Amino acid sequence: MITGTTRLYAVIGDPIAQVRAPELLNALFAAEGVDAVLVPVHVGSADLAVVLPGLQRIENLRGILVTVPHKVSALSFADTVNPAAEAAGSANALRKENDGTWTADNFDGVGFVRGLRAVGHEIAQAHVAVIGAGGAGAAIAAAALAEGAAHVGVTDVDSARAADLVARLDVRWPGRVAVGADLAVADLAVNATPLGLRAGDPLPFDPRRLPARAVVADIIMRPKRTPLLRVAEEAGYRTHYGHHMLDTQIDLYREFFALPGRP
Amino acid sequence: MITGTTRLYAVIGDPIAQVRAPELLNALFAAEGVDAVLVPVHVGSADLAVVLPGLQRIENLRGILVTVPHKVSALSFADTVNPAAEAAGSANALRKENDGTWTADNFDGVGFVRGLRAVGHEIAQAHVAVIGAGGAGAAIAAAALAEGAAHVGVTDVDSARAADLVARLDVRWPGRVAVGADLAVADLAVNATPLGLRAGDPLPFDPRRLPARAVVADIIMRPKRTPLLRVAEEAGYRTHYGHHMLDTQIDLYREFFALPGRP
């Protein structure tokens, strides 16, 4: 029941119809008796600089989730940028602190890592190959390093983008990250490119070059079983699907916004 | 159930905890199967010029209800100002049109008039005395004229404010409105001042100067039975309470935002 005392959360994106956060968080609020509501806010890139500061000045609005295409732009509306968002160069959540300042964080990487752990794949001490150095690849590479990966190799068709990311990560985790992925020694190889979204896309990499112990992961949600994962499964590798990254999302929101409830 | 496709309405004010619009409109949305939600938006006067344009640029936001202290300021954020809002010099609702422009309207006056009519008091051909030329008095005077009152007399402790209002109304309804209230011939006398909100306030006017047929109305909601109404009732007059003005509010919202449902 929404009343005059209800606190607000917003999820901003363009498009917005596909977001699942309202169902997830409003169910949590109802179950925990929290007087709050999360609403979808459809805003185009051209209007972000008007809408986002407007939301931030609403006194009873406590937090903002950020989805495509605003994750990079959202960083510039935060007073404090947490390490994961800094490393990823993008944010998927903004939180209002008690002093009125705003903190940005990025859950994509930690969500991916927790999804792996939930099904028994450990990332500590692992050699990780991240294919694709965009927002998702950057977040995953940073989270893998933060979780104790022995080495993270990053590739991208845009080699300058890969080099930029590695330079950024090397400041925080020196000597454990490099451009280039040596698939022959990787324990985990992650597709963080869009290849596989469309029928006829080439494979982002050939999983059959990995050692037999390796896990092959994709962040693409639809199709659930991408050509990469199909080829890997047919060759006997363990695979990890894109949707696993979302399974822990609600817990990440809960922790970031200090909401009650159990994981 | 709020999802990514849900349309938004907001009610803005400072304070905001007291607003009833979320309960009223969200119950309507649920009953009529409308995929929309109304949320309370707490915004101080200093932030209005940032928050209101931000709300207006949200693509899935369709309308804004406005309460104290933003009713006068809200007018300047509209592209089109409907006659009732123009006459009152304030708005309590902004609607996004299909072309993206914004229309302002003011329901305070028509809500008051409908509340009167709902309990059998007709305003057509009546001589009306409006005591207080602020936002509420202005809206009520305009609505009384629009409903066919024979004459509306307006007074205010700030005589320039009363004169300004009369000059504005006289443009639209020439010859039927004047400064000064001749209680001896009034069919209806309305307190549109804050007098009666606090214990010890003087009466806004002496109702015993009215003819026996007159109705004495107050727009103050708490206390429900103001000293003015008590004195009038003790002297045998019919009275009309502040809460009646709110009884028709849901229908006015419904009509303005073209929502389904019955009055």
Side-chain angles (χ1 to χ4, degrees), chain A residues 27-46:
Chain A
L28 173 73
F29 294 146
E32 299 292 333
V34 177
D35 184 14
V37 65
L38 175 73
V39 294
V41 168
H42 187 189
V43 51
S45 294

Side-chain angles (χ1 to χ4, degrees), chain B residues 152-175:
Chain B
V152 173
V154 177
T155 69
D156 198 282
V157 286
D158 177 347
S159 57
R161 185 156 81 155
D164 284 351
L165 172 60
V166 166
R168 206 145 27 97
L169 297 174
D170 193 62
V171 172
R172 192 169 175 87
W173 295 284

Side-chain angles (χ1 to χ4, degrees), chain B residues 25-46:
Chain B
L25 274 189
N26 290 325
L28 173 73
F29 295 146
E32 299 291 332
V34 177
D35 184 14
V37 65
L38 175 73
V39 294
V41 169
H42 186 189
V43 51
S45 294

Side-chain angles (χ1 to χ4, degrees), chain A residues 104-128:
Chain A
D105 210 336
N106 186 310
F107 308 143
D108 287 338
V110 67
F112 177 80
V113 166
R114 287 198 189 183
L116 276 175
R117 194 188 293 145
V119 294
H121 304 311
E122 256 307 326
I123 212 157
Q125 305 307 323
H127 283 248
V128 180

Side-chain angles (χ1 to χ4, degrees), chain A residues 144-185:
Chain A
L145 289 161
E147 288 289 314
H151 179 83
V152 174
V154 176
T155 69
D156 197 282
V157 287
D158 177 348
S159 57
R161 186 157 79 156
D164 283 351
L165 172 60
V166 166
R168 207 145 26 99
L169 296 174
D170 194 64
V171 172
R172 191 169 179 88
W173 296 284
R176 290 165 55 204
V177 57
V179 173
D182 185 355
L183 292 182
V185 301

